[in-house]
Amino acid sequence: MNNKLTLLFLVLLMQFSCKNDNEQRLADNLRDAKKKELIFTTINKGWNFHDTPINSTSEATLATWTEWRAFMDELSIKPKKTIGAFQKKAKALSAKAMALNNNIPSQFDTPQIRSRIATLITQVQMLDLYINLDKVSDKKVTKLVSEINIGLVSLQRQMDKIVEKSKIPLEVGESELLMMLDTTRAIQSGNPVIPVNPNAPRIE
């Protein structure tokens, strides 16, 4: 009789324990779902890129620089519905940003432009990294979106600066001065080095 009572008690205890575990699991799942929903809402609200040119130079460059146009087009399409969509978008943006190093118009192929492109690439890659972590930091993602926007503005302003500078006419003699300052064209100072003929007779 005692054995039957013990067995019944154990069965009831197990059922009660399983019920508590199920309730705890449901509560954890609900909490995770709410957290993910909050993260999605924050990222969705903060995912706003400056996807249109800020000046005429940048707008004109879209027609001639395919990689720049492709990157700006990718920025303009905002993901919808899930974090997964944002993660795919970040990967696509990273690939398009890397391509900005290719076919840079000769007018803009300068250290100033290249350094801004490098900064932009780094920021986009960081965005791709942070949004694809197991625990997505919505604050870090939205901060990176803001930093990318600043990088975009800086790049476009530098492009405009180069174009505006090219429109300023050179003063008399300035082109000659620039040629003299060009170290690749400079004449070496001092005595010219005369090559020694190894077959020439030597005087001891």
Side-chain angles (χ1 to χ4, degrees):
M1 187 69 181
N2 286 338
N3 288 340
K4 288 182 180 180
L5 285 172
T6 305
L7 187 60
L8 182 62
F9 177 74
L10 286 172
V11 169
L12 290 171
L13 187 64
M14 285 177 66
Q15 286 181 342
F16 182 73
S17 177
C18 288
K19 186 180 178 184
N20 282 347
D21 286 347
N22 287 338
E23 286 176 358
Q24 184 64 44
R25 199 177 299 112
L26 286 171
D28 289 344
N29 289 343
L30 187 62
R31 190 163 46 250
D32 286 345
K34 284 183 178 178
K35 190 176 179 182
K36 285 177 181 176
E37 187 180 342
L38 184 62
I39 289 170
F40 172 80
T41 303
T42 305
I43 291 174
N44 189 46
K45 189 177 178 182
W47 193 280
N48 295 306
F49 289 106
H50 299 331
D51 53 25
T52 52
I54 64 166
N55 52 43
S56 57
T57 300
S58 179
E59 191 172 1
T61 308
L62 289 174
T64 56
W65 188 7
T66 308
E67 289 76 10
W68 174 245
R69 185 173 63 248
F71 180 68
M72 294 295 273
D73 286 346
E74 195 68 51
L75 283 176
S76 68
I77 304 166
K78 186 174 179 177
K80 296 176 181 178
K81 296 183 180 179
T82 64
I83 285 288
F86 282 98
Q87 290 169 335
K88 286 179 183 176
K89 173 58 72 173
K91 283 192 182 301
L93 283 173
S94 185
K96 292 286 195 304
M98 282 294 293
L100 289 174
N101 277 320
N102 304 328
N103 304 316
I104 299 173
S106 56
Q107 186 180 22
F108 301 129
D109 196 0
T110 65
Q112 294 88 347
I113 292 291
R114 283 197 172 272
S115 69
R116 282 164 174 78
I117 290 172
T119 301
L120 193 60
I121 289 170
T122 302
Q123 290 166 336
V124 174
Q125 286 177 334
M126 290 293 287
L127 175 69
D128 184 24
L129 172 70
Y130 276 97
I131 203 166
N132 280 288
L133 291 175
D134 290 335
K135 292 184 178 179
V136 179
S137 172
D138 50 351
K139 288 177 183 169
K140 188 66 181 174
V141 168
T142 51
K143 186 182 176 198
L144 281 163
V145 169
S146 298
E147 288 174 4
I148 290 167
N149 281 331
I150 292 168
L152 283 167
V153 169
S154 176
L155 175 59
Q156 292 176 80
R157 283 184 178 160
Q158 185 62 35
M159 287 160 65
D160 195 49
K161 191 175 178 182
I162 289 169
V163 169
E164 290 305 311
K165 194 173 179 182
S166 70
K167 291 177 183 176
I168 301 170
L170 294 176
E171 293 182 12
V172 177
E174 191 175 351
S175 58
E176 288 82 2
L177 179 63
L178 289 171
M179 284 174 66
M180 287 174 62
L181 291 173
D182 185 356
T183 55
T184 60
R185 297 170 57 93
I187 299 170
Q188 293 182 352
S189 60
N191 296 327
V193 178
I194 300 170
V196 178
N197 184 354
N199 299 323
R202 288 187 295 177
I203 300 170
E204 298 292 337

Coordinates of all heavy atoms in Angstrom, one line a residue, residues 118-204:
A118 N 37.1 54.2 -48.2 CA 37.6 53.2 -47.2 C 36.8 53.3 -45.9 O 36.4 52.3 -45.3 CB 39.1 53.4 -47.0
T119 N 36.6 54.6 -45.5 CA 35.8 54.8 -44.2 C 34.4 54.2 -44.4 O 33.9 53.6 -43.5 CB 35.8 56.3 -43.9 OG1 37.1 56.7 -43.7 CG2 35.0 56.5 -42.6
L120 N 33.8 54.6 -45.5 CA 32.4 54.1 -45.8 C 32.3 52.6 -45.8 O 31.4 52.0 -45.3 CB 31.9 54.7 -47.1 CG 30.5 54.7 -47.5 CD1 29.6 55.4 -46.4 CD2 30.2 55.3 -48.8
I121 N 33.3 52.0 -46.5 CA 33.3 50.5 -46.6 C 33.4 49.9 -45.2 O 32.7 49.0 -44.8 CB 34.5 50.0 -47.4 CG1 34.2 50.3 -48.9 CG2 34.7 48.5 -47.3 CD1 35.4 50.1 -49.8
T122 N 34.3 50.4 -44.3 CA 34.4 49.9 -42.9 C 33.1 50.1 -42.2 O 32.7 49.1 -41.5 CB 35.5 50.7 -42.2 OG1 36.8 50.6 -43.0 CG2 35.8 50.2 -40.8
Q123 N 32.5 51.2 -42.3 CA 31.2 51.4 -41.6 C 30.1 50.4 -42.0 O 29.4 49.9 -41.2 CB 30.7 52.9 -41.8 CG 31.6 53.9 -41.1 CD 31.3 55.3 -41.6 OE1 30.9 55.5 -42.7 NE2 31.7 56.3 -40.8
V124 N 30.0 50.2 -43.3 CA 29.0 49.3 -43.9 C 29.3 47.9 -43.4 O 28.4 47.1 -43.1 CB 28.9 49.4 -45.4 CG1 28.0 48.3 -45.9 CG2 28.4 50.8 -45.8
Q125 N 30.6 47.5 -43.4 CA 31.0 46.1 -43.0 C 30.7 46.0 -41.5 O 30.3 44.9 -41.0 CB 32.4 45.9 -43.2 CG 32.7 45.7 -44.7 CD 34.2 45.5 -45.0 OE1 35.1 46.0 -44.3 NE2 34.5 44.8 -46.1
M126 N 30.9 47.0 -40.7 CA 30.5 47.0 -39.3 C 29.0 46.8 -39.1 O 28.6 46.0 -38.2 CB 31.0 48.2 -38.6 CG 32.5 48.4 -38.4 SD 33.2 47.1 -37.3 CE 32.7 47.8 -35.8
L127 N 28.2 47.5 -39.9 CA 26.8 47.3 -39.8 C 26.4 45.8 -40.1 O 25.6 45.3 -39.4 CB 26.1 48.2 -40.9 CG 24.6 48.1 -41.0 CD1 23.9 48.6 -39.8 CD2 24.1 48.9 -42.3
D128 N 27.0 45.3 -41.2 CA 26.8 43.9 -41.5 C 27.1 42.9 -40.4 O 26.4 42.0 -40.1 CB 27.6 43.5 -42.8 CG 27.3 42.1 -43.3 OD1 26.2 41.6 -43.0 OD2 28.2 41.6 -44.0
L129 N 28.2 43.2 -39.7 CA 28.7 42.4 -38.6 C 27.7 42.5 -37.4 O 27.3 41.4 -36.9 CB 30.1 42.9 -38.1 CG 30.6 42.2 -36.9 CD1 31.0 40.8 -37.1 CD2 31.8 43.0 -36.4
Y130 N 27.3 43.7 -37.0 CA 26.5 43.8 -35.8 C 25.1 43.4 -36.0 O 24.5 42.8 -35.1 CB 26.5 45.3 -35.4 CG 27.7 45.6 -34.5 CD1 28.9 46.2 -35.0 CD2 27.7 45.3 -33.1 CE1 30.0 46.5 -34.3 CE2 28.9 45.6 -32.4 CZ 30.0 46.2 -32.9 OH 31.1 46.4 -32.1
I131 N 24.5 43.5 -37.2 CA 23.2 43.1 -37.4 C 23.0 41.6 -37.5 O 22.0 41.0 -37.4 CB 22.5 43.8 -38.6 CG1 21.0 43.8 -38.4 CG2 22.9 43.2 -39.9 CD1 20.2 44.8 -39.3
N132 N 24.2 40.9 -37.8 CA 24.1 39.5 -38.0 C 24.6 38.7 -36.7 O 24.8 37.5 -36.8 CB 25.0 39.1 -39.2 CG 24.2 39.2 -40.5 OD1 23.3 38.5 -40.8 ND2 24.5 40.3 -41.3
L133 N 24.8 39.4 -35.6 CA 25.2 38.7 -34.4 C 24.0 38.0 -33.8 O 22.8 38.3 -34.2 CB 25.7 39.8 -33.3 CG 27.0 40.5 -33.6 CD1 27.2 41.5 -32.6 CD2 28.2 39.5 -33.6
D134 N 24.2 37.0 -33.0 CA 23.1 36.2 -32.4 C 22.3 37.2 -31.5 O 21.0 37.1 -31.6 CB 23.7 35.1 -31.5 CG 24.3 34.0 -32.4 OD1 23.9 33.9 -33.5 OD2 25.2 33.3 -31.8
K135 N 22.9 38.0 -30.8 CA 22.2 39.0 -30.0 C 22.4 40.4 -30.7 O 23.4 41.0 -30.5 CB 22.7 39.1 -28.6 CG 22.4 37.8 -27.8 CD 22.8 38.0 -26.3 CE 22.4 36.7 -25.5 NZ 22.8 36.8 -24.1
V136 N 21.4 40.8 -31.5 CA 21.5 42.0 -32.2 C 21.4 43.2 -31.3 O 20.5 43.3 -30.5 CB 20.4 42.1 -33.3 CG1 20.5 43.4 -34.1 CG2 20.5 40.9 -34.2
S137 N 22.4 44.2 -31.5 CA 22.3 45.4 -30.7 C 21.6 46.5 -31.5 O 22.3 47.0 -32.4 CB 23.7 45.8 -30.3 OG 23.7 47.1 -29.7
D138 N 20.4 46.8 -31.3 CA 19.6 47.7 -32.1 C 20.2 49.1 -32.0 O 20.3 49.9 -33.0 CB 18.2 47.8 -31.7 CG 17.9 47.9 -30.2 OD1 18.9 47.8 -29.4 OD2 16.8 48.1 -29.8
K139 N 20.8 49.5 -30.8 CA 21.4 50.8 -30.6 C 22.6 50.9 -31.5 O 22.9 52.0 -32.1 CB 21.7 51.0 -29.2 CG 20.4 51.3 -28.3 CD 20.8 51.4 -26.9 CE 19.4 51.5 -26.1 NZ 19.7 51.4 -24.6
K140 N 23.5 49.9 -31.5 CA 24.7 49.9 -32.3 C 24.4 50.0 -33.8 O 25.0 50.7 -34.5 CB 25.5 48.7 -32.0 CG 26.9 48.7 -32.6 CD 27.8 49.7 -32.0 CE 29.2 49.7 -32.7 NZ 30.0 50.9 -32.2
V141 N 23.3 49.3 -34.2 CA 23.0 49.3 -35.6 C 22.5 50.7 -36.1 O 22.9 51.2 -37.1 CB 21.8 48.2 -35.9 CG1 21.2 48.4 -37.3 CG2 22.4 46.8 -35.8
T142 N 21.6 51.3 -35.3 CA 21.1 52.6 -35.6 C 22.2 53.7 -35.6 O 22.2 54.6 -36.4 CB 19.9 53.0 -34.7 OG1 20.3 52.9 -33.3 CG2 18.7 52.2 -35.0
K143 N 23.2 53.5 -34.7 CA 24.3 54.4 -34.6 C 25.1 54.3 -35.9 O 25.6 55.3 -36.4 CB 25.1 54.1 -33.4 CG 26.3 55.1 -33.1 CD 27.1 54.7 -32.0 CE 28.3 55.7 -31.8 NZ 29.4 55.2 -31.0
L144 N 25.3 53.1 -36.3 CA 26.1 52.9 -37.6 C 25.4 53.4 -38.8 O 26.1 53.9 -39.7 CB 26.4 51.4 -37.8 CG 27.6 50.8 -36.9 CD1 27.5 49.3 -36.8 CD2 28.9 51.3 -37.4
V145 N 24.1 53.4 -38.8 CA 23.3 54.0 -39.9 C 23.6 55.5 -40.0 O 23.9 56.0 -41.0 CB 21.8 53.7 -39.8 CG1 21.0 54.5 -40.8 CG2 21.5 52.2 -40.0
S146 N 23.6 56.1 -38.8 CA 23.9 57.6 -38.7 C 25.3 57.8 -39.2 O 25.6 58.8 -39.9 CB 23.7 58.1 -37.3 OG 22.4 57.9 -36.9
E147 N 26.3 57.0 -38.8 CA 27.7 57.2 -39.2 C 27.9 57.0 -40.7 O 28.6 57.7 -41.3 CB 28.6 56.2 -38.4 CG 28.7 56.6 -37.0 CD 29.5 55.5 -36.2 OE1 30.0 54.5 -36.8 OE2 29.6 55.7 -35.0
I148 N 27.1 56.1 -41.3 CA 27.2 55.8 -42.7 C 26.6 57.1 -43.5 O 27.2 57.5 -44.5 CB 26.4 54.6 -43.1 CG1 27.2 53.3 -42.7 CG2 26.2 54.5 -44.7 CD1 26.4 52.0 -42.7
N149 N 25.6 57.7 -42.9 CA 25.0 58.9 -43.5 C 26.0 60.0 -43.5 O 26.1 60.8 -44.5 CB 23.7 59.3 -42.8 CG 22.5 58.4 -43.3 OD1 22.5 58.0 -44.4 ND2 21.6 58.3 -42.4
I150 N 26.8 60.1 -42.4 CA 27.8 61.2 -42.3 C 28.9 60.9 -43.3 O 29.4 61.8 -44.0 CB 28.4 61.2 -40.9 CG1 27.3 61.8 -39.9 CG2 29.6 62.1 -40.8 CD1 27.6 61.6 -38.4
G151 N 29.3 59.6 -43.5 CA 30.3 59.3 -44.5 C 29.9 59.6 -45.9 O 30.6 60.0 -46.7
L152 N 28.6 59.3 -46.2 CA 28.0 59.6 -47.5 C 28.1 61.1 -47.8 O 28.5 61.5 -48.9 CB 26.6 59.1 -47.6 CG 26.3 57.6 -47.8 CD1 24.9 57.3 -47.5 CD2 26.7 57.2 -49.2
V153 N 27.7 61.9 -46.9 CA 27.7 63.4 -47.0 C 29.2 63.8 -47.3 O 29.4 64.6 -48.2 CB 27.1 64.1 -45.8 CG1 27.3 65.6 -45.9 CG2 25.6 63.8 -45.8
S154 N 30.1 63.3 -46.5 CA 31.5 63.7 -46.6 C 32.1 63.4 -48.0 O 32.8 64.2 -48.6 CB 32.3 63.0 -45.5 OG 33.7 63.3 -45.6
L155 N 31.7 62.2 -48.5 CA 32.2 61.7 -49.8 C 31.7 62.6 -50.9 O 32.4 63.1 -51.8 CB 31.8 60.3 -50.0 CG 32.1 59.7 -51.4 CD1 33.6 59.7 -51.7 CD2 31.6 58.2 -51.5
Q156 N 30.4 62.9 -50.8 CA 29.7 63.7 -51.9 C 30.2 65.2 -51.8 O 30.4 65.8 -52.9 CB 28.2 63.7 -51.7 CG 27.7 62.3 -52.0 CD 26.2 62.2 -51.8 OE1 25.4 62.6 -52.6 NE2 25.8 61.6 -50.7
R157 N 30.5 65.7 -50.7 CA 31.0 67.1 -50.6 C 32.4 67.2 -51.1 O 32.8 68.2 -51.7 CB 31.0 67.5 -49.1 CG 29.6 68.0 -48.6 CD 29.6 68.5 -47.3 NE 28.2 68.9 -46.9 CZ 27.8 69.1 -45.6 NH1 28.6 68.9 -44.6 NH2 26.6 69.5 -45.4
Q158 N 33.2 66.1 -50.9 CA 34.6 66.1 -51.4 C 34.5 66.0 -52.9 O 35.3 66.7 -53.6 CB 35.4 64.9 -50.8 CG 36.8 64.9 -51.2 CD 37.6 66.1 -50.7 OE1 37.3 66.6 -49.7 NE2 38.6 66.5 -51.5
M159 N 33.6 65.2 -53.5 CA 33.5 65.2 -54.9 C 33.1 66.5 -55.5 O 33.7 67.0 -56.5 CB 32.4 64.1 -55.3 CG 32.8 62.7 -55.1 SD 31.4 61.5 -54.9 CE 30.7 61.6 -56.5
D160 N 32.2 67.2 -54.8 CA 31.8 68.6 -55.3 C 32.9 69.6 -55.2 O 33.1 70.4 -56.1 CB 30.6 69.0 -54.4 CG 29.9 70.2 -55.1 OD1 29.6 70.2 -56.3 OD2 29.7 71.2 -54.4
K161 N 33.7 69.4 -54.1 CA 34.9 70.3 -53.9 C 35.9 70.2 -55.1 O 36.4 71.2 -55.6 CB 35.5 70.0 -52.6 CG 36.6 71.0 -52.1 CD 37.0 70.6 -50.7 CE 38.1 71.5 -50.2 NZ 38.6 71.1 -48.9
I162 N 36.1 68.9 -55.5 CA 37.1 68.7 -56.6 C 36.6 69.3 -57.9 O 37.3 69.9 -58.6 CB 37.3 67.1 -56.8 CG1 38.1 66.6 -55.6 CG2 38.0 66.8 -58.1 CD1 38.1 65.1 -55.5
V163 N 35.3 69.2 -58.1 CA 34.7 69.7 -59.4 C 34.7 71.2 -59.4 O 35.1 71.9 -60.3 CB 33.2 69.2 -59.5 CG1 32.5 70.0 -60.7 CG2 33.2 67.7 -59.9
E164 N 34.4 71.8 -58.2 CA 34.4 73.3 -58.1 C 35.8 73.8 -58.3 O 36.0 74.9 -58.9 CB 33.8 73.7 -56.8 CG 32.3 73.5 -56.6 CD 31.5 74.2 -57.8 OE1 31.8 75.4 -58.0 OE2 30.7 73.6 -58.4
K165 N 36.8 73.1 -57.7 CA 38.2 73.6 -57.8 C 38.7 73.5 -59.3 O 39.5 74.3 -59.7 CB 39.1 72.7 -56.9 CG 40.5 73.2 -56.7 CD 41.2 72.4 -55.7 CE 42.6 72.9 -55.5 NZ 43.4 72.1 -54.5
S166 N 38.2 72.5 -60.0 CA 38.6 72.3 -61.4 C 38.1 73.4 -62.3 O 38.6 73.7 -63.4 CB 38.2 70.9 -61.9 OG 36.8 70.9 -62.1
K167 N 37.0 74.1 -61.9 CA 36.4 75.2 -62.7 C 37.2 76.5 -62.5 O 37.0 77.4 -63.3 CB 35.0 75.4 -62.2 CG 34.0 74.3 -62.6 CD 32.6 74.5 -62.1 CE 31.7 73.3 -62.4 NZ 30.4 73.6 -61.8
I168 N 38.0 76.6 -61.5 CA 38.8 77.9 -61.3 C 39.9 77.9 -62.3 O 40.7 77.1 -62.4 CB 39.3 77.9 -59.8 CG1 38.2 77.8 -58.8 CG2 40.2 79.2 -59.6 CD1 38.7 77.6 -57.4
P169 N 39.9 79.0 -63.1 CA 41.0 79.1 -64.1 C 42.3 79.4 -63.5 O 42.5 80.0 -62.4 CB 40.5 80.4 -64.9 CG 39.6 81.1 -64.0 CD 39.0 80.2 -63.1
L170 N 43.4 78.7 -64.1 CA 44.7 78.9 -63.6 C 45.2 80.3 -63.9 O 44.9 80.9 -65.0 CB 45.6 77.9 -64.2 CG 45.4 76.4 -63.9 CD1 46.3 75.5 -64.7 CD2 45.6 76.1 -62.4
E171 N 46.0 80.9 -63.0 CA 46.6 82.2 -63.2 C 47.8 82.0 -64.2 O 48.3 80.9 -64.3 CB 47.1 82.8 -61.9 CG 45.9 83.2 -61.0 CD 46.3 83.8 -59.7 OE1 47.5 84.2 -59.6 OE2 45.4 84.0 -58.9
V172 N 48.3 83.1 -64.7 CA 49.5 83.1 -65.6 C 50.7 82.5 -64.9 O 51.0 83.0 -63.8 CB 49.8 84.5 -66.1 CG1 51.0 84.5 -67.0 CG2 48.6 85.0 -66.9
G173 N 51.3 81.5 -65.4 CA 52.5 80.9 -64.8 C 52.2 79.8 -63.8 O 53.1 79.1 -63.4
E174 N 50.9 79.7 -63.4 CA 50.6 78.7 -62.4 C 50.8 77.2 -62.9 O 51.3 76.4 -62.1 CB 49.2 78.8 -61.9 CG 48.8 78.0 -60.7 CD 47.4 78.3 -60.2 OE1 46.7 79.2 -60.6 OE2 47.0 77.5 -59.3
S175 N 50.5 77.0 -64.2 CA 50.7 75.6 -64.7 C 52.2 75.2 -64.7 O 52.5 74.1 -64.4 CB 50.1 75.5 -66.1 OG 50.7 76.5 -67.0
E176 N 53.1 76.2 -65.0 CA 54.5 76.0 -65.0 C 55.0 75.7 -63.6 O 55.8 74.8 -63.4 CB 55.3 77.2 -65.6 CG 55.2 77.3 -67.1 CD 53.9 78.0 -67.5 OE1 53.1 78.5 -66.6 OE2 53.6 78.2 -68.7
L177 N 54.4 76.4 -62.6 CA 54.8 76.2 -61.2 C 54.4 74.9 -60.8 O 55.1 74.2 -60.1 CB 54.1 77.3 -60.4 CG 54.4 77.3 -58.9 CD1 55.9 77.4 -58.6 CD2 53.6 78.3 -58.1
L178 N 53.2 74.4 -61.2 CA 52.7 73.1 -60.8 C 53.6 72.0 -61.4 O 53.8 71.0 -60.7 CB 51.2 72.9 -61.2 CG 50.2 73.7 -60.4 CD1 48.8 73.6 -61.1 CD2 50.1 73.3 -59.0
M179 N 54.0 72.2 -62.6 CA 54.9 71.3 -63.2 C 56.2 71.2 -62.5 O 56.8 70.1 -62.3 CB 55.2 71.6 -64.7 CG 54.0 71.3 -65.6 SD 54.2 71.9 -67.3 CE 55.6 70.9 -67.8
M180 N 56.7 72.3 -62.0 CA 58.0 72.4 -61.3 C 57.8 71.6 -59.9 O 58.8 71.0 -59.4 CB 58.5 73.8 -61.0 CG 59.0 74.5 -62.3 SD 59.4 76.2 -62.1 CE 60.6 76.1 -60.8
L181 N 56.6 71.7 -59.3 CA 56.4 71.1 -58.0 C 56.2 69.6 -58.2 O 56.3 68.9 -57.2 CB 55.2 71.7 -57.4 CG 55.3 73.2 -56.9 CD1 54.0 73.7 -56.4 CD2 56.4 73.3 -55.8
D182 N 55.9 69.1 -59.4 CA 55.7 67.7 -59.6 C 57.0 67.0 -59.5 O 57.9 67.1 -60.4 CB 55.1 67.5 -61.0 CG 54.7 66.1 -61.3 OD1 55.0 65.2 -60.4 OD2 54.1 65.8 -62.3
T183 N 57.2 66.2 -58.5 CA 58.5 65.6 -58.2 C 58.8 64.5 -59.2 O 60.0 64.2 -59.4 CB 58.5 64.9 -56.8 OG1 57.4 64.1 -56.7 CG2 58.4 66.0 -55.7
T184 N 57.8 64.0 -59.9 CA 58.1 62.9 -60.9 C 58.7 63.5 -62.2 O 59.4 62.8 -62.9 CB 56.8 62.2 -61.3 OG1 55.9 63.1 -61.8 CG2 56.2 61.5 -60.1
R185 N 58.5 64.8 -62.4 CA 59.1 65.5 -63.6 C 60.3 66.3 -63.2 O 60.9 66.9 -64.1 CB 58.0 66.4 -64.2 CG 56.8 65.6 -64.7 CD 55.7 66.6 -65.1 NE 56.1 67.5 -66.1 CZ 56.0 67.3 -67.4 NH1 55.4 66.2 -67.8 NH2 56.4 68.3 -68.3
A186 N 60.7 66.4 -62.0 CA 61.8 67.3 -61.6 C 63.1 66.8 -62.1 O 63.4 65.6 -62.2 CB 61.8 67.4 -60.0
I187 N 64.0 67.8 -62.4 CA 65.3 67.5 -62.8 C 66.2 67.3 -61.6 O 66.1 68.2 -60.7 CB 65.9 68.6 -63.7 CG1 65.0 68.8 -65.0 CG2 67.4 68.4 -64.1 CD1 65.4 70.0 -65.8
Q188 N 67.0 66.3 -61.5 CA 67.8 66.1 -60.4 C 68.9 67.1 -60.3 O 69.5 67.5 -61.3 CB 68.5 64.7 -60.5 CG 67.5 63.5 -60.3 CD 68.2 62.2 -60.4 OE1 69.4 62.1 -60.6 NE2 67.5 61.1 -60.2
S189 N 69.0 67.7 -59.1 CA 70.0 68.7 -58.8 C 71.4 68.1 -58.6 O 71.5 66.9 -58.3 CB 69.7 69.6 -57.6 OG 69.6 68.7 -56.5
G190 N 72.5 68.9 -58.7 CA 73.8 68.4 -58.5 C 74.4 67.9 -59.8 O 73.9 68.0 -60.9
N191 N 75.6 67.3 -59.7 CA 76.3 66.8 -60.9 C 75.7 65.6 -61.4 O 75.3 64.7 -60.6 CB 77.8 66.5 -60.5 CG 78.5 67.8 -60.1 OD1 78.3 68.9 -60.6 ND2 79.5 67.6 -59.1
P192 N 75.5 65.5 -62.7 CA 74.9 64.3 -63.3 C 75.9 63.1 -63.1 O 77.1 63.3 -63.2 CB 74.8 64.7 -64.8 CG 75.8 65.7 -65.0 CD 75.9 66.5 -63.7
V193 N 75.3 62.0 -62.9 CA 76.1 60.7 -62.7 C 76.4 60.2 -64.1 O 75.5 59.9 -64.9 CB 75.3 59.7 -61.9 CG1 76.1 58.4 -61.7 CG2 75.0 60.3 -60.5
I194 N 77.7 60.0 -64.4 CA 78.1 59.5 -65.7 C 78.4 58.0 -65.5 O 79.2 57.6 -64.6 CB 79.4 60.2 -66.2 CG1 79.1 61.7 -66.4 CG2 79.9 59.6 -67.5 CD1 80.3 62.6 -66.6
P195 N 77.8 57.1 -66.3 CA 78.1 55.7 -66.1 C 79.5 55.4 -66.4 O 80.1 55.9 -67.4 CB 77.1 55.1 -67.1 CG 76.7 56.1 -68.0 CD 76.9 57.4 -67.3
V196 N 80.1 54.5 -65.7 CA 81.5 54.1 -65.8 C 81.6 52.9 -66.8 O 80.8 51.9 -66.6 CB 82.1 53.7 -64.5 CG1 83.6 53.3 -64.7 CG2 82.1 54.9 -63.5
N197 N 82.4 53.0 -67.8 CA 82.7 51.9 -68.7 C 83.6 50.9 -68.1 O 84.8 51.3 -67.8 CB 83.2 52.4 -70.0 CG 83.3 51.3 -71.1 OD1 83.1 50.1 -70.8 ND2 83.7 51.7 -72.3
P198 N 83.2 49.7 -67.8 CA 84.2 48.8 -67.1 C 85.3 48.3 -68.0 O 86.4 47.9 -67.6 CB 83.3 47.6 -66.8 CG 82.1 47.6 -67.7 CD 81.9 49.1 -68.0
N199 N 85.2 48.5 -69.4 CA 86.3 48.1 -70.3 C 87.3 49.2 -70.6 O 88.3 49.0 -71.2 CB 85.7 47.7 -71.6 CG 84.8 46.5 -71.4 OD1 85.1 45.6 -70.6 ND2 83.7 46.4 -72.2
A200 N 87.0 50.4 -70.0 CA 87.9 51.6 -70.3 C 89.2 51.3 -69.5 O 89.2 50.8 -68.4 CB 87.2 52.9 -69.9
P201 N 90.3 51.8 -70.1 CA 91.6 51.6 -69.4 C 91.7 52.5 -68.2 O 91.2 53.6 -68.2 CB 92.7 52.0 -70.5 CG 91.9 52.9 -71.4 CD 90.5 52.4 -71.4
R202 N 92.2 51.9 -67.1 CA 92.3 52.7 -65.8 C 93.8 53.2 -65.7 O 94.7 52.5 -66.0 CB 91.9 51.8 -64.7 CG 90.4 51.5 -64.6 CD 90.1 50.8 -63.4 NE 90.7 49.5 -63.3 CZ 90.5 48.6 -62.3 NH1 89.9 49.0 -61.2 NH2 91.1 47.4 -62.3
I203 N 93.9 54.4 -65.1 CA 95.2 55.0 -64.9 C 95.5 54.8 -63.4 O 94.7 55.2 -62.5 CB 95.2 56.5 -65.2 CG1 94.9 56.7 -66.7 CG2 96.6 57.1 -64.8 CD1 94.7 58.1 -67.0
E204 N 96.6 54.1 -63.1 CA 96.9 53.8 -61.8 C 97.6 55.0 -61.1 O 98.3 55.7 -61.7 CB 97.9 52.6 -61.7 CG 97.3 51.3 -62.2 CD 96.2 50.7 -61.4 OE1 96.2 51.1 -60.2 OE2 95.4 50.0 -61.9

